[in-house]
Amino acid sequence: MLILGIDTSCDDTSAAVVQDGRKIISNIVSSQSDIHTKYGGIVPELASRRHIEMIMPVVEEALTHAGITLPDLSAVAVCHGPGLIGSLLVGCSFAKAICYGKNIPLIGVNHLEGHLLSPFLEEQAPEFPFISLVVSGGHTSLYLAEDYGRYSVMGKTRDDAAGEAYDKVSKLLGLSYPGGPIIDRLAREGNARAVAFPRAYLPDTLDFSFSGVKTAVLQHVRKLSPDSSPITEHSLLSDIAASFQSAVVDVLVRKTEWAVNKTGIRRVAISGGVSANSGLRQKMKEMGAKQRIDLFIPSVSLCTDNAAMIAAAGYHRFLNKEFAGLDLNPMAYLSL
Ligand code: KG4
Ligand code: ZN
């Protein structure tokens, strides 16, 4: 059974064809970072306009790449939230038009469920129950995933998401957007012990907080450059990047370990854009090996936003006949 997935929740236009919820036949992602970079973050109006330009060619490319046409599809799964409302509207409207025109079911998928189920697109997928760390630009949460559609929040960020902290730190260092991959690259050349940035472990809760470490980086930068001139010395930048990354990663890994100890469940999956981070992947693997945890980390292209994860999540809703009407509304805020 072939499902077309569509994701336009943020700044990537993506369409994918997935077979039986597991096998990726095509997965096309058109990034918009070129238009947002000079603003140091996403400009929502520009994002929606680019989605309008790209949705048709991206869906066509996904179908062509899969060697199929619309009548081969069993359903269309579209991300209807959370995300930027104008961006979501483009994907939802396009998905509805296909479903109406071809008389096939429409499935609304929560973006976070897409991330959470993205490890199922790999050959080695976790069995339920498992602990899931979803760590992206908009969210940082630990879930107990008991079955498809049965997820409970064990902890979530009280302020910034980890990816948001990466993007803000990149901006205050005078670097580009998105900040995560840039800081990740810089961090590999720096000394993680150069600056002792704070780690908000927040004892007695599995919640997170990343605004403190971001502010600490800001204060450190102000001390180094009282006249606010950009720091250009590469070794200073890479030391800050490595020290910041180490503070963020330590908290993410430690809290995941707590979640395992609290539940006794020794299967962990991580997903979302920040799970592409080399430092996080490495430290999580070290912790997993030490604690004898089965760890599931999707390949990098499945960590960041993509429509294959939406099609995969849509498949299970399809099996349960959880279809949306053509009045499906995009939702900027939608919890899992
Ligand atoms: O999942 P995603 O593509 O979109 C959201 O749902 O938010 O995540 C995007 C976030 C951005 O904040 C980006 O800076 C971060 O993921 N990111 C990374 C890396 N690659 C992307 N953060 C740290 N290291 C990376 N390698
Ligand atoms: Zn995402």
Side-chain angles (χ1 to χ4, degrees), residues 111 115 136-138 163-164 166-167 178-181 184 272-274 276-277 303-305:
H111 186 78
H115 277 307
S136 71
E164 190 181 354
Y166 265 96
D167 294 335
D184 191 2
V274 180
N277 184 268
C303 291
T304 45
D305 286 352

Side-chain angles (χ1 to χ4, degrees), residues 183-205:
I183 304 251
D184 191 2
R185 268 195 305 275
L186 260 178
R188 281 177 222 159
E189 297 159 34
N191 172 9
R193 292 174 204 272
V195 195
F197 290 129
R199 282 130 172 94
Y201 286 118
L202 308 181
D204 308 324
T205 167

Side-chain angles (χ1 to χ4, degrees), residues 7 9-10 111-112 115 134 136-139 272-273 303-306 309:
D7 187 289
S9 57
C10 195
H111 186 78
L112 298 168
H115 277 307
V134 178
S136 71
H139 298 84
C303 291
T304 45
D305 286 352
N306 68 88
M309 67 186 198

Side-chain angles (χ1 to χ4, degrees), residues 105-289:
L106 173 72
I107 302 157
V109 171
N110 185 311
H111 186 78
L112 298 168
E113 184 177 28
H115 277 307
L116 192 150
L117 294 180
S118 58
F120 288 85
L121 291 164
E122 299 291 356
E123 214 156 294
Q124 298 290 326
E127 271 174 36
F128 291 102
F130 63 93
I131 303 293
S132 169
L133 173 70
V134 178
V135 61
S136 71
H139 298 84
T140 299
S141 302
L142 272 165
Y143 296 96
L144 169 60
E146 292 182 275
D147 203 344
Y148 295 110
R150 278 182 58 208
Y151 319 111
S152 41
V153 181
M154 300 184 72
K156 59 181 189 316
T157 184
R158 295 182 177 177
D159 39 56
D160 290 355
E164 190 181 354
Y166 265 96
D167 294 335
K168 288 177 177 169
V169 162
S170 176
K171 193 172 178 179
L172 69 88
L173 290 176
L175 304 170
S176 202
Y177 173 86
I182 299 167
I183 304 251
D184 191 2
R185 268 195 305 275
L186 260 178
R188 281 177 222 159
E189 297 159 34
N191 172 9
R193 292 174 204 272
V195 195
F197 290 129
R199 282 130 172 94
Y201 286 118
L202 308 181
D204 308 324
T205 167
L206 288 172
D207 282 354
F208 299 92
S209 167
F210 294 105
S211 66
V213 62
K214 175 196 66 187
T215 306
V217 176
L218 177 65
Q219 283 164 347
H220 183 74
V221 167
R222 282 195 180 141
K223 229 172 19 195
L224 288 176
S225 169
D227 63 352
S228 300
S229 59
I231 299 172
T232 49
E233 203 178 312
H234 189 77
S235 65
L236 275 181
L237 283 173
S238 50
D239 280 354
I240 295 172
S243 303
F244 162 75
Q245 177 154 304
S246 156
V248 171
V249 166
D250 279 355
V251 173
L252 291 171
V253 173
R254 179 82 66 89
K255 291 264 159 158
T256 305
E257 197 177 356
W258 288 1
V260 168
N261 291 338
K262 189 170 171 180
T263 56
I265 295 170
R266 311 200 84 73
R267 274 182 298 276
V268 168
I270 65 171
S271 55
V274 180
S275 63
N277 184 268
S278 58
L280 177 61
R281 295 168 87 89
Q282 178 60 32
K283 278 245 172 88
M284 209 48 110
K285 281 179 194 160
E286 286 166 15
M287 185 276 283

